[in-house]
Amino acid sequence: MHWGAPVYLNFLLLVPIMAVFFIFVRISKRKKIEKFGDAALIERLSGSKSIAKEKARKIIIVIACIFLILALTMPQIGARLTMTKRYGVDIMIAIDTSSSMLAQDIKPNRIEKAKLEISSLIDKLKGDRVGVLTFAGDSFMQCPLTLDYNAAKMFLSIIEPGMMPKPGTAIGGAIRTAIKGFSRKERKHKVLVLFTDGEDHDTNPIDAANEAKKEGIIIYTIGMGTKKGEPIPLTDETGKVSGYKKDTKDGVVMTRLDEDMLQKIALITDGKYYNATLSEFELDKIYDEISGMEKKELSSRLYTQYEDRFQYFLGIAFILLCIEFIIGDRKKK
């Protein structure tokens, strides 16, 4: 026998407590009777009440409680082998970790907002494989495609600006790294979601997008930031803003969202561009489109499915309670 909810077996500890309680009540009642005289004589004088039936009812109640508790544990008797298959698409998520992602035109800043949106997107997925890569001046696959969403979110949690050794923003390189992360045997079921401010440093993202299209990859771009621009804050050891990034002429560097570039990348691969919003409606749009895509079989597993038999235990408990009600506690005339 297999138990679906074995934690409820702990409730069986209440059964001896219940039995002791009934015994205690019986002894207490007998002591009260003895105060008025001989207990055996008084019980005989009570006439219509059956002591034997009263004991039988209590025993039946205890047994019925045992079967009720066993029903709660979801007993499973018998099993059959079942094949389950998991269908979905491969989704690669690329996040920009360049210093410009520290700009605070989106609160708390661009990169933290991107991480929150990625986490929310992963929570929405059902059956799809997901991977995470980071990029700045170069790119690195943090988490290869996996069905383990907790692992993907764990890698996401350690992402921070400046973690890539080479500074800059290489969107083209990130797209090419993502291409390598997908299977080259098929030309569909592939999605790349790109979180960046779009400021590329001469890495030919348009050419990379064309390469992605040939591999059947659909790219969704999410723009982090605003067009008006924002200075890039510099922080001290305590995390407080100590100044702003400056160029060689001692002028404050302004980082601006390049929507045109991100729109072109998405358009080439039949994807779409969205600007990051507080409501995160763009995630719903992307998820709805991914859900409507043709799925492929990602995994299959043979597992043992047990047959629930709690209804038998529940039925026995019900019958016992009915018997207890019918018996009563009166003697037959």
Side-chain angles (χ1 to χ4, degrees):
M1 181 181 293
H2 187 267
W3 307 102
V7 66
Y8 290 112
L9 286 172
N10 294 322
F11 286 174
L12 289 174
L13 296 174
L14 298 176
V15 174
I17 295 175
M18 184 185 300
V20 171
F21 173 75
F22 283 147
I23 295 172
F24 173 79
V25 170
R26 175 63 182 165
I27 293 173
S28 178
K29 185 177 180 181
R30 188 173 182 85
K31 286 182 178 180
K32 289 179 181 179
I33 291 174
E34 287 175 348
K35 291 181 180 180
F36 294 96
D38 182 69
L41 178 60
I42 292 174
E43 288 180 354
R44 284 200 300 272
L45 292 173
S46 61
S48 62
K49 191 168 184 179
S50 173
I51 302 302
K53 286 186 176 181
E54 183 181 0
K55 290 180 180 179
R57 288 181 64 196
K58 291 177 179 177
I59 292 172
I60 291 173
I61 289 173
V62 171
I63 297 174
C65 287
I66 292 174
F67 278 95
L68 284 173
I69 293 171
L70 291 176
L72 280 175
T73 62
M74 298 296 291
Q76 298 167 332
I77 304 173
R80 67 175 185 271
L81 293 177
T82 303
M83 176 69 75
T84 60
K85 295 182 179 181
R86 195 167 183 175
Y87 295 90
V89 298
D90 289 336
I91 304 170
M92 190 68 70
I93 300 174
I95 178 172
D96 187 348
T97 61
S98 61
S99 59
S100 63
M101 292 291 283
L102 286 170
Q104 298 176 350
D105 45 3
I106 299 180
K107 301 301 179 182
N109 57 42
R110 293 177 181 177
I111 192 165
E112 290 301 323
K113 172 62 174 172
K115 288 170 66 175
L116 288 172
E117 292 211 4
I118 294 171
S119 180
S120 297
L121 179 59
I122 292 174
D123 289 338
K124 292 176 181 292
L125 301 180
K126 297 177 181 178
D128 306 290
R129 288 199 303 181
V130 63
V132 179
L133 71 85
T134 55
F135 68 96
D138 51 9
S139 51
F140 178 73
M141 186 70 66
Q142 291 287 341
C143 176
L145 290 168
T146 179
L147 289 167
D148 188 344
Y149 298 156
N150 288 329
K153 293 178 73 172
M154 182 188 69
F155 282 104
L156 177 66
S157 66
I158 63 175
I159 292 174
E160 58 184 20
M163 66 182 299
M164 303 301 294
K166 186 177 179 180
T169 306
I171 297 177
I175 295 174
R176 293 183 179 95
T177 299
I179 292 173
K180 296 176 183 177
F182 290 108
S183 170
R184 309 300 290 270
K185 297 179 180 179
E186 53 193 11
R187 297 291 184 269
K188 55 183 178 179
H189 313 121
K190 304 176 186 179
V191 173
L192 171 61
V193 185
L194 191 64
F195 289 82
T196 179
D197 52 31
E199 291 186 327
D200 181 70
H201 294 169
D202 301 322
T203 60
N204 298 318
I206 300 301
D207 290 344
N210 281 305
E211 294 174 26
K213 183 178 181 179
K214 293 178 181 178
E215 295 294 326
I217 300 171
I218 298 174
I219 302 178
Y220 292 93
T221 53
I222 299 182
M224 310 303 299
T226 58
K227 286 185 176 181
K228 67 179 183 180
E230 185 80 6
I232 301 172
L234 301 175
T235 57
D236 56 22
E237 294 179 354
T238 63
K240 293 183 179 180
V241 177
S242 58
Y244 294 94
K245 188 175 181 180
K246 296 182 179 181
D247 56 23
T248 55
K249 297 180 180 180
D250 205 34
V252 176
V253 176
M254 299 293 288
T255 172
R256 294 177 175 84
L257 172 64
D258 189 348
E259 285 190 324
D260 292 338
M261 174 66 72
L262 297 180
Q263 288 173 346
K264 289 177 182 177
I265 292 172
L267 184 63
I268 289 171
T269 62
D270 298 323
K272 290 184 180 179
Y273 164 77
Y274 296 97
N275 185 237
T277 62
L278 291 175
S279 62
E280 298 184 356
F281 87 95
E282 63 275 9
L283 299 183
D284 294 329
K285 295 287 187 181
I286 292 174
Y287 176 72
D288 288 342
E289 294 200 21
I290 292 175
S291 298
M293 292 180 180
E294 180 185 351
K295 310 293 184 182
K296 68 175 180 177
E297 183 181 324
L298 295 175
S299 67
S300 60
R301 183 168 63 94
L302 190 65
Y303 75 101
T304 303
Q305 183 175 1
Y306 294 96
E307 300 289 343
D308 289 329
R309 294 289 185 261
F310 70 92
Q311 57 270 24
Y312 297 123
F313 293 84
L314 197 61
I316 293 172
F318 177 76
I319 293 171
L320 288 172
L321 291 175
C322 288
I323 293 173
E324 185 271 338
F325 178 77
I326 293 171
I327 288 177
D329 58 0
R330 300 296 175 183
K331 292 179 180 179
K332 290 184 180 181
K333 293 183 180 180

